[in-house]
Amino acid sequence: MKILKNLLITFLLLAAVTSCGKNGEEGKIDPNSGDNAGNNNSAAQESPPEEVFLSGKVISVSHNSDGIADFTLLTDDASVCRVTPGAISRNAVSVGQKVLVTVDGSVMESDPMQAVAENVDVTEEFNEMPLDVEVYTVYSITASRISEALTSSGYRFYRFENYGECLDFLEENELSAEFEKTVGDTDISALTDAFFEKNDLCVFVVNSAGVNGNQVDSVYGNGDELYLSLVQTSENAVLVNTKFDVFLLPLSKDLETGEGFVLTEKYLEPNLGDEEKG
């Protein structure tokens, strides 16, 4: 009888221990289940998004009656982005400067890219020296080959070291007739092998659709980079690659320019500025 009583007590103790163990497991909270999972997700959603930055060179600035309507950035990786100033000062940037843009939100992947600036920091001022270079211009041409080659920056740059390269370029891009008609009675018509003994010919092809002409302002440069500064007045700020101006610059072979940039100050007519303000 005593043995049975001891067995009964042992059985009851085992049952109690087993029950406590089960209750303990059931009492634990799974961090990935129920309300707790929702709390974790909420905390993750509340974490601030990472800031987005764009770094590059300002190649154009569009001005309306309020100041800067937008500016175009040639980024460090050679992409092109049209930036709307947003809340920043509307006189915060100038062509040629290198800037760091803090983007408000995200960058829209289009061609060119689009972004709104939350803040703009100038990282390098434009301090290039003006060059005494004659500029010859072929205005308002239509050439399908050039249209195919033109990038979203609105321009292309070429440098020819001999007469053959120049003639090939004119022929391949359907520019021979316009070239002969426009520059045939100027000094640059003397493009021969003798010309290229001392000079190279730099060529900028610039979009001119929707603008009242690309007016040459200045030419700047150093040993590595050449800048053609233009002024535009426009009633249509949309980039449409259907009409072009070609700028020809004889350049001494001593200037080993490898890259060419077009810097454009665009002045929008009041009606377009009023639309953008609304």
Side-chain angles (χ1 to χ4, degrees):
M1 191 71 177
K2 187 175 182 181
I3 294 175
L4 289 175
K5 186 177 180 180
N6 290 337
L7 287 173
L8 181 59
I9 291 171
T10 302
F11 176 80
L12 292 173
L13 288 173
L14 287 172
V17 171
T18 303
S19 176
C20 289
K22 288 182 178 179
N23 289 336
E25 290 178 2
E26 291 174 357
K28 291 181 180 178
I29 299 175
D30 185 351
N32 297 316
S33 65
D35 293 338
N36 196 64
N39 291 335
N40 286 341
N41 290 336
S42 177
Q45 291 174 1
E46 291 173 1
S47 60
E50 292 186 4
E51 289 188 314
V52 179
F53 298 96
L54 290 170
S55 177
K57 187 190 301 292
V58 178
I59 57 172
S60 74
V61 177
S62 296
H63 304 267
N64 61 18
S65 57
D66 288 337
I68 295 177
D70 59 65
F71 61 92
T72 302
L73 193 67
L74 182 63
T75 68
D76 293 339
D77 63 358
S79 298
V80 179
C81 187
R82 181 172 177 259
V83 181
T84 303
I88 69 168
S89 167
R90 287 185 173 269
N91 295 294
V93 296
S94 301
V95 291
Q97 289 177 332
K98 292 184 179 180
V99 299
L100 178 66
V101 177
T102 305
V103 176
D104 185 359
S106 59
V107 177
M108 181 183 299
E109 296 295 335
S110 56
D111 188 21
M113 299 185 298
Q114 309 280 327
V116 176
E118 179 180 306
N119 186 59
V120 178
D121 293 314
V122 177
T123 58
E124 185 177 328
E125 294 289 354
F126 181 70
N127 294 315
E128 303 298 347
M129 296 297 296
L131 300 178
D132 185 15
V133 177
E134 192 74 34
V135 181
Y136 301 90
T137 308
V138 184
Y139 282 113
S140 298
I141 64 169
T142 55
S144 59
R145 297 292 180 86
I146 288 291
S147 177
E148 294 170 1
L150 201 64
T151 67
S152 56
S153 66
Y155 70 87
R156 289 293 296 270
F157 171 74
Y158 306 87
R159 180 166 180 163
F160 306 122
E161 297 181 354
N162 58 67
Y163 192 32
E165 288 181 359
C166 177
L167 293 178
D168 289 344
F169 169 80
L170 294 174
E171 182 177 351
E172 291 171 2
N173 293 283
E174 304 169 356
L175 297 175
S176 299
E178 289 87 350
F179 180 83
E180 292 295 333
K181 177 176 64 179
T182 307
V183 303
D185 59 350
T186 66
D187 292 340
I188 204 171
S189 63
L191 284 175
T192 62
D193 289 331
F195 170 90
F196 284 98
E197 288 178 4
K198 296 182 179 180
N199 303 282
D200 287 351
L201 184 64
C202 295
V203 177
F204 290 94
V205 180
V206 183
N207 178 73
S208 65
V211 304
N212 299 327
N214 287 298
Q215 303 302 318
V216 177
D217 180 39
S218 300
V219 178
Y220 301 91
N222 55 35
D224 299 319
E225 299 173 340
L226 184 68
Y227 296 88
L228 176 65
S229 176
L230 301 177
V231 176
Q232 293 180 349
T233 301
S234 174
E235 294 183 359
N236 180 7
V238 178
L239 176 65
V240 182
N241 299 337
T242 56
K243 191 167 63 172
F244 314 93
D245 296 337
V246 178
F247 300 88
L248 305 105
L249 292 74
L251 201 66
S252 170
K253 288 184 180 294
D254 294 335
L255 294 176
E256 299 179 355
T257 298
E259 291 186 276
F261 301 91
V262 173
L263 306 178
T264 307
E265 296 279 3
K266 302 180 181 180
Y267 293 92
L268 309 181
E269 293 297 327
N271 61 334
L272 182 58
D274 291 342
E275 288 177 8
E276 290 202 357
K277 284 198 310 180

